[in-house]
Amino acid sequence: MNRVSEYVEKLKAFIPEFPDYWSSEDAAFNFGKDSTVHGVFSDFSTLVVERLEAGTLSNGEQLFSFIESVLAEGGDPANAACTCFLENILNRIPGPIDPNGFVPYLGPKSKEFCRGWDEFTGVKTSGL
């Protein structure tokens, strides 16, 4: 199994319809055999952002624990989780996402990245 398929399958545990979304025309970063794990995390973030905006993300603790484990492993998946998932969420602050919907679930590496992003952008995410 390649990295793209591996992470589509892993992320399905948190949003079961993600593989269908990934295969649909709505997915912005599915380029077939040229897809990357960065694209997977970016398209996955779209669905997570929708749920965070609506206040319907029901498994945030488990999801962000998984993201923390990806960061701990390092490599391309960790970079993708930071730059194509966490950043995509943080870029909606201030705005339609309540930080209380995800910040309490962030692990140490995720918080460190998010604090750095806040410093870089000049935004202060509540709870970090």
Side-chain angles (χ1 to χ4, degrees):
M1 180 181 295
N2 67 35
R3 281 265 140 127
V4 168
S5 299
E6 175 187 348
Y7 278 92
V8 169
E9 187 64 26
K10 286 180 178 185
L11 294 170
K12 177 175 86 170
F14 308 104
I15 299 182
E17 61 272 22
F18 178 59
D20 291 336
Y21 179 83
W22 176 250
S23 298
S24 76
E25 292 182 11
D26 293 329
F29 297 98
N30 185 346
F31 305 117
K33 64 181 175 80
D34 294 326
S35 297
T36 66
V37 71
H38 288 78
V40 171
F41 274 97
S42 187
D43 277 332
F44 182 70
S45 76
T46 300
L47 299 181
V48 172
V49 163
E50 287 174 0
R51 283 157 179 76
L52 286 169
E53 288 176 348
T56 60
L57 184 66
S58 62
N59 54 2
E61 188 172 355
Q62 295 84 6
L63 170 59
F64 287 97
S65 177
F66 172 74
I67 296 298
E68 185 70 12
S69 72
V70 172
L71 270 59
E73 288 178 25
D76 280 346
N79 181 274
C82 287
T83 62
C84 298
F85 180 77
L86 292 173
E87 276 183 27
N88 287 353
I89 294 170
L90 292 170
N91 286 338
R92 271 51 172 213
I93 297 171
I97 292 179
D98 179 0
N100 291 322
F102 73 95
V103 170
Y105 307 126
L106 296 176
K109 289 184 178 298
S110 298
K111 281 183 182 175
E112 179 183 351
F113 175 81
C114 291
R115 286 180 185 127
W117 186 249
D118 273 7
E119 185 176 324
F120 176 74
T121 61
V123 173
K124 175 62 179 135
T125 301
S126 177
L128 285 176

